[in-house]
Amino acid sequence: MDELQTPSLAELHALIEMTNTLNMEIFYWWCTALMILIHAGFLSYEIGASRLKNALAAGVKNILAFALIIPVVYLVGWAIYNAFPDGLVPRMDALIASMPWSESMGPNIQDNATGIFWGAFALFAATTGSIFSGAIIERARVSAFLVLTLLLGGVLWLLAAAWGWHPEGWLTVKWGYHDVGAAGVVHMVAGFFALAVVINLGPRIGRFNPDGSVNPIAGHSMPMSVVGLMLIIVGFFGFLGGCIIYNGGAQWINIYGQPTTLSAFSFNTLMGFAGGVVGAYLVSREPFWMMSGGLVGIISVAPGLDLYHPGLAYLIALGVGCLAPMVNQLLLRLRIDDAVGAFAVHGFAGFAGLLISGIFLSGYPNMEGMADISFTGQLVGAIVMASLGFIPGYLLSYLLKQVGMLRVPAQAEERGLDLTEVPAQAYPEWAAMHGQAPVSRFENSHSTASIAMENKLA
Amino acid sequence: MDELQTPSLAELHALIEMTNTLNMEIFYWWCTALMILIHAGFLSYEIGASRLKNALAAGVKNILAFALIIPVVYLVGWAIYNAFPDGLVPRMDALIASMPWSESMGPNIQDNATGIFWGAFALFAATTGSIFSGAIIERARVSAFLVLTLLLGGVLWLLAAAWGWHPEGWLTVKWGYHDVGAAGVVHMVAGFFALAVVINLGPRIGRFNPDGSVNPIAGHSMPMSVVGLMLIIVGFFGFLGGCIIYNGGAQWINIYGQPTTLSAFSFNTLMGFAGGVVGAYLVSREPFWMMSGGLVGIISVAPGLDLYHPGLAYLIALGVGCLAPMVNQLLLRLRIDDAVGAFAVHGFAGFAGLLISGIFLSGYPNMEGMADISFTGQLVGAIVMASLGFIPGYLLSYLLKQVGMLRVPAQAEERGLDLTEVPAQAYPEWAAMHGQAPVSRFENSHSTASIAMENKLA
Amino acid sequence: MDELQTPSLAELHALIEMTNTLNMEIFYWWCTALMILIHAGFLSYEIGASRLKNALAAGVKNILAFALIIPVVYLVGWAIYNAFPDGLVPRMDALIASMPWSESMGPNIQDNATGIFWGAFALFAATTGSIFSGAIIERARVSAFLVLTLLLGGVLWLLAAAWGWHPEGWLTVKWGYHDVGAAGVVHMVAGFFALAVVINLGPRIGRFNPDGSVNPIAGHSMPMSVVGLMLIIVGFFGFLGGCIIYNGGAQWINIYGQPTTLSAFSFNTLMGFAGGVVGAYLVSREPFWMMSGGLVGIISVAPGLDLYHPGLAYLIALGVGCLAPMVNQLLLRLRIDDAVGAFAVHGFAGFAGLLISGIFLSGYPNMEGMADISFTGQLVGAIVMASLGFIPGYLLSYLLKQVGMLRVPAQAEERGLDLTEVPAQAYPEWAAMHGQAPVSRFENSHSTASIAMENKLA
């Protein structure tokens, strides 16, 4: 606005560089905000997918997971991402530069980047934790969930990203691994982690009959679930925005440094969503699976958001969208009770998406000096991601199971987790109308801490 | 960040041009994301506006409409917009350039524009489809709705936009039609389409008594409806953002090429919302109509968002906000059962807004060589939009009615559409508490496809 | 896109200045949109926090408050902010320049700033009004609430901002008051206003026993409340975005003109949220307080979002998050019934946050010629903000009480405000299942206006 004096060429260059720095910062600020909408969506959807007696316990664990993952990503997660692109041996300089006491890890008017990227990574971490969280509702202890989700969101996702979602990650460098929209590094890791935990956790009481047949257990509010899932789709635009790199006023690049556009993301995200909904509808006819199919569709095309033709993206999403509900049925046949289909929607769809991208994108060149995209590379990457989710998830949940900390007692499960894990009631008036005694709020709560405080105060 | 060498003037120019290209792309990316929030809002609001027995059927049709409209806009809609600004004779070069196999209709690092604009247009299309969808709840077949909404969202809205919301549309060129915020091309087309369909569809069973008096049929959850409507208001900022053209670092222009600002949009959108809420409140006192009044207010000032004084915008919105609930009462007197007031809120408000703009904006110059804004021009435009919605909607729904495909059988309507069209229950536990038998989920669903699959798998 | 001719240095400078102008406008456009999500969140959260019989009355007052505050900010609020930085004597030129008939207060292609900033301020005003609105649910008259909230949102918040959130506000100039994220000027003013009104309003019937013990009154839908609170967290990114100044392509500045970054905001907002949730969880174990704790956390670090180390922000938020639920318990002991803890969450957290910032930020230099940040300055500012909320709130609510307009009659409170203040039912079918007579909608409403109209029309 002050145009008193015409600046020099160098001054003008500095001005536009700063403009681009601010543009970058603003872009990821909104990505971060919309990823919190993913969290609002998961909150609504998982509460709705729980029965009345477990509704709040589902929500409480989601809120706590979000709040606990953030500081863990601050303390260790960010360092893991930056220091481990080569595998399990850290780059010491990057490790030190990411420590909480380093110059970049706080307000610093010389650094418009670290905080905003850290914020986006923290929300990716929270998303990873939330993907897992739906699978174990209605019988896992909140405390066990928190330990597990901190491992997943605070450590594993960042290791996965360092390996396969980093310009110098070994999977890309050596195998040409191409996973632009994080189908493997977020969705597969979380989905396979969920599968491993659910195997150790066991099904909800009454889920299976002795003859192996399945008893449907529907959540208490399908409307909350489907609206929540639509909020997640809105938030996906923040998530996928976080998957493209604003490159200082030059063309967008993907996380590996190859040029791309938001226009390509727009085409393929929307067509993937559309195909996935229709695919899941054709097989299931159910609103819950239709909306989950929208997620499946986006995840299934996520590896090649930058390269697919939109028509191809639609067809891929349609196909994987048809298969995902069947994968969940298969788990049920194996007596595995994944309460919201987290494995089918995230683990399977990510896996299928990576393999399919290995077929259609095989031969596309990677950055100079790195392996081309290939089916083998995508397969190797997918196996790494599956393992990185499954093995630690299996081991830690097995350990928690052995020490009796994984699952609430059968009696507590029958009465509902809201009584034991929260304690409060989701809908106290409706509960009272149906003859249930009130569970009081914090104000005169049954929890020892509150009663103690109450005594002190009142 | 790299300031090793000062660039030349031409290099700097290229840098800033690219910056502006990215700015444009980012802006519409967020518009697209927020327009999905409109969809989340409609989902919540229509589910809430349905009775318990029809809650999921309302949601299912919304989700499917969104998913089906996207590929139709990809396959034909985008071409319609680009090729038909002159009327019904296509511009062949534009038609060919918009075909799915053209260079611009996929990832192309030379084209940062097409995908992002296509995405915004696809969401406008989905919005158009959603506006219509509330009117026909609780008795229309999902299949009939889908056929109708594909015509509306995938074809008619794009023809309306080509004619009246395109820099070279014949309505603007010849008549000076001025509809900056899409009051006519989106809201009127959808509202008049809804009216036509509702006439053929007929009222819900029990809506009217033989003496013509009206039985209120309230939705099962007013809270879901009003929260959903507030989400739509948030999403309106994406929609209206999609109505202003980022012009490469020069001043914003409206869709016709005239300079404007987002500041003007901010003033008039908020004042329009405020006036509309108060107007509808004065007449109805009802939360559903108050929030709908907010939509009415924004729509009523949408044609002149770029030109109105904010005080005038408030008064227009207040007036139209008072009238909209009365228009719905008038329809009821005519035994027309528009379940959510879609015609009053979108059709009537768009119509009134265009006529009022013809009074206040008459004489404003249009672009060079085009007709000035005039009352006649706005009236002609409004009539065209009404016809473009009403006539095809009437004909297609009449046809569907004749072949018995428009409406579910009376018995199915009495029992509720969730049983026949979905089938699932919105709130299975509450239903069970009130003695209703469970409708199982996909897992052991009544639908033939699912049962067949179940048999195969389990 | 047209690169036919290389522009001159001056032309290029103008181009980039315009780019930055548009960037600024776009940034605050999205801030405004996301702040409406705060409103959607408050709507959901307050409806959920009300008992069934009062659910819609809670929502109606929120919607009306939003709609009424907007024109008041247009007519007087914006002028107050601009004219009163010196205290109670207006700057006449600024006053005149902000009048509704001035050039800047409408569409003006020479002014890309006023409308967009006005919009953000109007949403800050609406947020202020909403903070207050939860405290008084279930017994205040809607009309009394509206009068009070117009004073708060339309006048007081803007005076607070002129004094303490303006580059030349007397609190900053003389006392070095530093309140970057509006902890005092928004949250304290609203929280202390709420406290004052609640004192005059008195507790809900049945809230306290004669011996002073507390009866818990839980809202009817905890899920609606917690999802609403998470939407508010999303919206907070709009709110806090509105607290940082886009400075024409130079480094960001805070409202006082000192350099900062969005990166710093990202670090401290997320760490503050996380700490607050955990703090409130440790004390209360309750989902409602956990999510409120997230708000507490952000508010408690808001004064120093630009300067805190993220680890410090976490600890501050953790501590204040522990205290806030106890502050609400203390109010209960004093028989003060703040239905949603608005004072504890906003008033107390803002107050604590300002005092803590006085400790940790003491000695930081302010802009040239202004007092440094000091504990005394922060204390003075906090006292001013508390008084600016409390005193007018107390006086006006006392006046309304004296003339019998503050509270609904006891009988109406017992029957529920939805019957008297709306009138409609939130969930008519569930109500009917439990034997309640229907309250009809507008269509054949009990309200005189509607009946009159109905008679005319039908």
Side-chain angles (χ1 to χ4, degrees):
Chain A
M1 326 232 183
D2 56 301
E3 292 178 277
L4 300 173
Q5 222 173 340
T6 302
S8 72
L9 206 53
E11 284 166 344
L12 216 53
H13 187 212
L15 178 59
I16 183 153
E17 293 278 340
M18 193 67 204
T19 296
N20 280 314
T21 298
L22 300 178
N23 276 350
M24 176 276 293
E25 220 175 348
I26 293 170
F27 181 65
Y28 296 110
W29 174 260
W30 296 133
C31 288
T32 302
L34 282 198
M35 280 193 274
I36 301 179
L37 203 54
I38 293 182
H39 229 82
F42 269 113
L43 194 59
S44 179
Y45 137 73
E46 286 187 32
I47 290 175
S50 303
R51 283 167 293 177
L52 282 169
K53 62 183 177 180
N54 302 315
L56 291 183
V60 160
K61 83 176 164 20
N62 265 35
I63 298 165
L64 277 179
F66 184 16
L68 292 175
I69 284 172
I70 288 171
V72 174
V73 174
Y74 185 78
L75 291 174
V76 302
W78 183 245
I80 291 171
Y81 177 68
N82 284 287
F84 287 89
D86 302 324
L88 294 169
V89 180
R91 297 179 179 183
M92 290 312 296
D93 54 342
L95 193 69
I96 290 166
S98 308
M99 287 292 108
W101 49 85
S102 77
E103 279 189 352
S104 63
M105 292 300 281
N108 179 344
I109 57 171
Q110 307 305 321
D111 182 353
N112 289 58
T114 305
I116 212 80
F117 278 112
W118 170 82
F121 271 75
L123 265 296
F124 273 79
T127 300
T128 312
S130 288
I131 290 168
F132 157 56
S133 94
I136 53 83
I137 53 173
E138 306 202 307
R139 78 277 207 201
R141 280 184 198 273
V142 170
S143 53
F145 165 75
L146 292 176
V147 172
L148 287 160
T149 205
L150 284 178
L151 174 65
L152 172 61
V155 176
L156 296 178
W157 126 252
L158 291 137
L159 199 56
W163 293 356
W165 205 68
H166 184 295
E168 299 171 21
W170 67 270
L171 278 171
T172 296
V173 173
K174 294 192 190 157
W175 294 95
Y177 181 64
H178 190 83
D179 185 15
V180 165
V185 296
V186 164
H187 296 283
M188 274 191 73
V189 171
F192 277 84
F193 189 95
L195 177 65
V197 173
V198 163
I199 289 172
N200 279 317
L201 183 61
R204 287 167 287 179
I205 294 172
R207 185 68 166 125
F208 299 106
N209 297 318
D211 66 355
S213 61
V214 182
N215 296 310
I217 297 183
H220 81 283
S221 175
M222 184 74 88
M224 279 197 78
S225 286
V226 293
V227 172
L229 282 158
M230 193 63 92
L231 293 179
I232 293 175
I233 302 294
V234 181
F236 241 120
F237 280 73
F239 182 95
L240 296 175
C243 292
I244 196 168
I245 309 297
Y246 188 91
N247 188 25
Q251 183 61 283
W252 297 98
I253 51 175
N254 66 22
I255 194 80
Y256 311 108
Q258 298 158 298
T260 182
T261 65
L262 264 181
S263 272
F265 277 44
S266 172
F267 270 133
N268 288 327
T269 304
L270 289 171
M271 291 293 268
F273 168 78
V277 169
V278 172
Y281 174 72
L282 292 177
V283 172
S284 81
R285 307 285 298 273
E286 231 213 11
F288 182 85
W289 274 105
M290 286 165 62
M291 280 305 308
S292 295
L295 298 186
V296 167
I298 296 174
I299 294 164
S300 71
V301 301
L305 279 179
D306 54 338
L307 295 174
Y308 285 138
H309 184 274
L312 177 60
Y314 184 84
L315 294 174
I316 292 170
L318 183 77
V320 183
C322 283
L323 292 173
M326 296 198 210
V327 167
N328 199 53
Q329 294 282 26
L330 199 63
L331 290 192
L332 287 175
R333 200 177 157 193
L334 300 168
R335 300 201 179 202
I336 296 172
D337 179 20
D338 175 350
V340 297
F343 173 74
V345 172
H346 299 273
F348 167 72
F351 190 73
L354 279 170
L355 294 202
I356 291 167
S357 71
I359 297 168
F360 287 110
L361 305 182
S362 185
Y364 267 88
N366 201 340
M367 297 298 286
E368 180 74 31
M370 299 185 184
D372 289 354
I373 304 177
S374 69
F375 182 81
T376 314
Q378 297 299 82
L379 177 65
V380 167
I383 292 169
V384 168
M385 294 305 154
S387 310
L388 197 53
F390 192 89
I391 297 172
Y394 191 88
L395 294 177
L396 183 54
S397 60
Y398 184 80
L399 185 70
L400 287 165
K401 185 183 182 180
Q402 293 306 314
V403 297
M405 288 175 58
L406 185 59
R407 187 163 176 149
V408 300
Q411 198 196 352
E413 186 179 340
E414 300 271 18
R415 292 181 64 208
L417 273 63
D418 286 8
L419 281 176
T420 56
E421 299 277 302
V422 181
Q425 278 167 324
Y427 309 96
E429 287 176 271
W430 276 309
M433 287 177 193
H434 294 100
Q436 292 169 29
V439 178
S440 55
R441 295 177 60 188
F442 164 57
E443 287 160 14
N444 60 355
S445 167
H446 294 163
S447 78
T448 327
S450 298
I451 287 172
M453 196 182 79
E454 191 104 343
N455 290 345
K456 265 181 287 173
L457 292 173
Chain B
M1 323 227 176
D2 56 303
E3 292 178 278
L4 301 172
Q5 224 174 340
T6 302
S8 72
L9 207 51
E11 283 166 344
L12 217 52
H13 188 212
L15 178 59
I16 185 156
E17 293 278 341
M18 193 67 204
T19 296
N20 280 314
T21 298
L22 300 178
N23 275 349
M24 175 276 291
E25 220 176 348
I26 293 171
F27 181 65
Y28 296 110
W29 175 258
W30 297 133
C31 288
T32 303
L34 283 197
M35 280 193 274
I36 301 179
L37 203 54
I38 293 182
H39 228 83
F42 269 113
L43 193 59
S44 179
Y45 137 74
E46 286 187 33
I47 290 176
S50 302
R51 283 167 293 178
L52 282 170
K53 63 183 177 182
N54 301 315
L56 292 183
V60 161
K61 81 175 165 20
N62 265 36
I63 298 166
L64 277 179
F66 184 15
L68 292 175
I69 284 173
I70 288 172
V72 173
V73 174
Y74 185 78
L75 291 174
V76 302
W78 184 246
I80 292 171
Y81 177 68
N82 284 286
F84 287 90
D86 303 324
L88 292 170
V89 179
R91 297 179 178 183
M92 290 312 293
D93 53 343
L95 193 69
I96 289 166
S98 308
M99 287 292 109
W101 49 84
S102 78
E103 279 190 351
S104 63
M105 293 300 279
N108 179 343
I109 58 172
Q110 307 304 322
D111 181 353
N112 289 59
T114 305
I116 212 80
F117 279 112
W118 170 82
F121 271 75
L123 264 296
F124 272 80
T127 301
T128 312
S130 288
I131 291 168
F132 155 56
S133 92
I136 53 84
I137 53 171
E138 306 202 306
R139 76 276 205 202
R141 280 183 199 273
V142 171
S143 53
F145 165 75
L146 293 176
V147 172
L148 287 160
T149 205
L150 284 179
L151 174 66
L152 172 60
V155 176
L156 296 177
W157 126 251
L158 291 136
L159 198 57
W163 292 356
W165 206 69
H166 184 295
E168 299 170 22
W170 68 269
L171 277 170
T172 296
V173 173
K174 295 194 190 154
W175 293 96
Y177 181 64
H178 189 84
D179 184 15
V180 165
V185 296
V186 165
H187 296 284
M188 274 190 72
V189 171
F192 278 83
F193 188 95
L195 178 64
V197 173
V198 163
I199 290 172
N200 279 319
L201 184 63
R204 286 167 288 180
I205 293 172
R207 185 71 167 125
F208 299 107
N209 298 317
D211 67 355
S213 62
V214 180
N215 296 310
I217 297 183
H220 82 282
S221 175
M222 184 73 88
M224 278 198 80
S225 287
V226 293
V227 172
L229 282 158
M230 193 63 91
L231 293 179
I232 293 175
I233 301 295
V234 181
F236 241 120
F237 280 73
F239 182 95
L240 295 174
C243 292
I244 196 168
I245 309 297
Y246 188 92
N247 187 25
Q251 184 61 283
W252 297 99
I253 51 176
N254 66 23
I255 195 79
Y256 310 109
Q258 297 159 299
T260 183
T261 64
L262 264 181
S263 271
F265 277 44
S266 171
F267 269 133
N268 287 328
T269 304
L270 289 170
M271 291 294 268
F273 168 78
V277 169
V278 172
Y281 174 72
L282 292 176
V283 172
S284 81
R285 306 287 297 276
E286 230 213 13
F288 182 86
W289 274 105
M290 286 166 60
M291 280 305 308
S292 296
L295 298 186
V296 166
I298 297 175
I299 296 163
S300 71
V301 301
L305 279 180
D306 55 337
L307 295 173
Y308 284 139
H309 183 273
L312 178 60
Y314 184 84
L315 295 174
I316 292 170
L318 184 77
V320 182
C322 282
L323 293 173
M326 296 197 210
V327 168
N328 199 53
Q329 295 283 26
L330 199 63
L331 290 191
L332 287 175
R333 202 177 155 191
L334 301 168
R335 299 202 181 203
I336 295 172
D337 179 19
D338 176 349
V340 296
F343 174 74
V345 173
H346 299 273
F348 166 73
F351 190 74
L354 280 169
L355 294 203
I356 292 167
S357 71
I359 297 168
F360 287 109
L361 305 182
S362 186
Y364 267 88
N366 201 338
M367 298 298 287
E368 180 74 33
M370 300 185 183
D372 288 353
I373 303 176
S374 69
F375 182 81
T376 314
Q378 298 299 83
L379 178 63
V380 167
I383 292 168
V384 168
M385 294 306 154
S387 310
L388 197 53
F390 192 89
I391 297 171
Y394 192 88
L395 295 177
L396 182 55
S397 58
Y398 184 80
L399 186 69
L400 287 165
K401 185 184 181 180
Q402 293 306 312
V403 296
M405 288 176 60
L406 185 59
R407 188 166 176 147
V408 299
Q411 197 196 353
E413 186 180 341
E414 299 271 17
R415 292 181 64 209
L417 274 64
D418 286 7
L419 282 176
T420 54
E421 298 278 300
V422 180
Q425 276 167 326
Y427 310 97
E429 288 176 271
W430 276 309
M433 287 177 195
H434 294 100
Q436 292 169 28
V439 178
S440 54
R441 296 176 61 189
F442 163 56
E443 288 160 14
N444 60 354
S445 168
H446 293 165
S447 77
T448 326
S450 297
I451 287 171
M453 196 181 78
E454 191 105 344
N455 290 343
K456 263 181 289 173
L457 292 173
Chain C
M1 322 245 174
D2 57 300
E3 291 177 277
L4 300 172
Q5 220 173 343
T6 301
S8 73
L9 207 52
E11 284 165 346
L12 216 51
H13 188 212
L15 178 58
I16 184 155
E17 293 278 340
M18 193 66 203
T19 296
N20 280 315
T21 298
L22 300 178
N23 275 349
M24 175 277 291
E25 220 175 348
I26 293 171
F27 181 66
Y28 296 111
W29 175 259
W30 297 132
C31 289
T32 302
L34 283 199
M35 280 193 274
I36 301 178
L37 203 52
I38 292 182
H39 229 83
F42 268 114
L43 194 59
S44 179
Y45 137 74
E46 286 187 31
I47 290 176
S50 302
R51 283 168 292 178
L52 282 169
K53 63 183 178 182
N54 301 315
L56 291 183
V60 160
K61 81 177 165 19
N62 265 36
I63 299 165
L64 277 178
F66 184 16
L68 292 175
I69 284 173
I70 289 171
V72 174
V73 175
Y74 185 79
L75 291 174
V76 303
W78 183 245
I80 291 172
Y81 177 69
N82 284 287
F84 287 90
D86 302 326
L88 293 169
V89 180
R91 298 178 177 184
M92 291 311 296
D93 54 341
L95 195 68
I96 290 165
S98 309
M99 287 292 108
W101 48 85
S102 78
E103 279 190 350
S104 63
M105 292 301 280
N108 179 343
I109 57 171
Q110 307 304 320
D111 182 353
N112 289 58
T114 304
I116 211 81
F117 279 112
W118 170 84
F121 271 75
L123 265 294
F124 271 80
T127 301
T128 312
S130 287
I131 291 168
F132 156 56
S133 93
I136 53 83
I137 53 172
E138 307 203 302
R139 78 276 204 201
R141 279 183 198 274
V142 170
S143 54
F145 165 75
L146 292 176
V147 172
L148 288 160
T149 206
L150 285 179
L151 175 64
L152 173 60
V155 176
L156 296 177
W157 126 253
L158 291 136
L159 199 56
W163 293 357
W165 205 69
H166 184 294
E168 298 171 21
W170 67 271
L171 277 171
T172 296
V173 173
K174 294 193 189 155
W175 293 96
Y177 181 65
H178 191 83
D179 185 16
V180 165
V185 297
V186 165
H187 297 284
M188 274 191 73
V189 171
F192 278 84
F193 189 95
L195 177 65
V197 173
V198 163
I199 289 171
N200 278 319
L201 184 61
R204 286 166 288 179
I205 293 172
R207 185 68 166 126
F208 299 107
N209 298 316
D211 66 356
S213 61
V214 181
N215 296 310
I217 298 181
H220 81 284
S221 175
M222 184 75 86
M224 278 197 79
S225 287
V226 294
V227 172
L229 282 158
M230 193 64 91
L231 293 179
I232 293 175
I233 302 294
V234 181
F236 240 120
F237 279 74
F239 183 94
L240 295 175
C243 292
I244 197 168
I245 309 296
Y246 188 92
N247 187 26
Q251 184 59 283
W252 297 98
I253 53 176
N254 65 23
I255 194 80
Y256 310 109
Q258 298 158 300
T260 184
T261 64
L262 263 182
S263 271
F265 277 43
S266 172
F267 269 134
N268 288 327
T269 304
L270 288 171
M271 291 293 267
F273 167 78
V277 169
V278 172
Y281 174 72
L282 292 176
V283 172
S284 81
R285 307 288 296 275
E286 230 212 12
F288 182 85
W289 274 104
M290 286 165 62
M291 281 306 308
S292 295
L295 298 186
V296 167
I298 296 174
I299 295 163
S300 70
V301 301
L305 278 180
D306 54 338
L307 295 174
Y308 285 139
H309 184 273
L312 178 59
Y314 184 84
L315 294 174
I316 292 171
L318 184 77
V320 183
C322 282
L323 292 172
M326 296 197 209
V327 167
N328 199 53
Q329 294 283 26
L330 199 63
L331 290 191
L332 288 175
R333 199 175 158 193
L334 300 169
R335 298 200 180 205
I336 295 171
D337 179 19
D338 175 349
V340 296
F343 174 75
V345 172
H346 299 272
F348 166 72
F351 190 73
L354 280 169
L355 294 202
I356 291 167
S357 72
I359 296 168
F360 287 109
L361 305 182
S362 186
Y364 267 88
N366 202 337
M367 297 299 285
E368 180 74 32
M370 300 188 182
D372 289 354
I373 303 176
S374 69
F375 182 81
T376 314
Q378 298 299 84
L379 179 63
V380 166
I383 292 169
V384 169
M385 294 306 154
S387 310
L388 198 53
F390 192 89
I391 297 171
Y394 192 87
L395 294 177
L396 182 55
S397 59
Y398 184 80
L399 186 70
L400 287 164
K401 185 184 182 180
Q402 293 305 313
V403 296
M405 289 175 58
L406 185 59
R407 188 165 176 148
V408 299
Q411 199 197 351
E413 186 180 340
E414 300 270 17
R415 292 182 64 209
L417 273 64
D418 286 7
L419 281 175
T420 56
E421 297 279 301
V422 179
Q425 277 167 325
Y427 309 96
E429 287 176 272
W430 276 309
M433 287 177 196
H434 294 101
Q436 292 169 29
V439 178
S440 55
R441 295 176 61 188
F442 164 56
E443 288 161 14
N444 61 355
S445 167
H446 294 162
S447 78
T448 326
S450 298
I451 288 172
M453 196 181 78
E454 192 104 343
N455 290 343
K456 264 181 287 174
L457 292 173

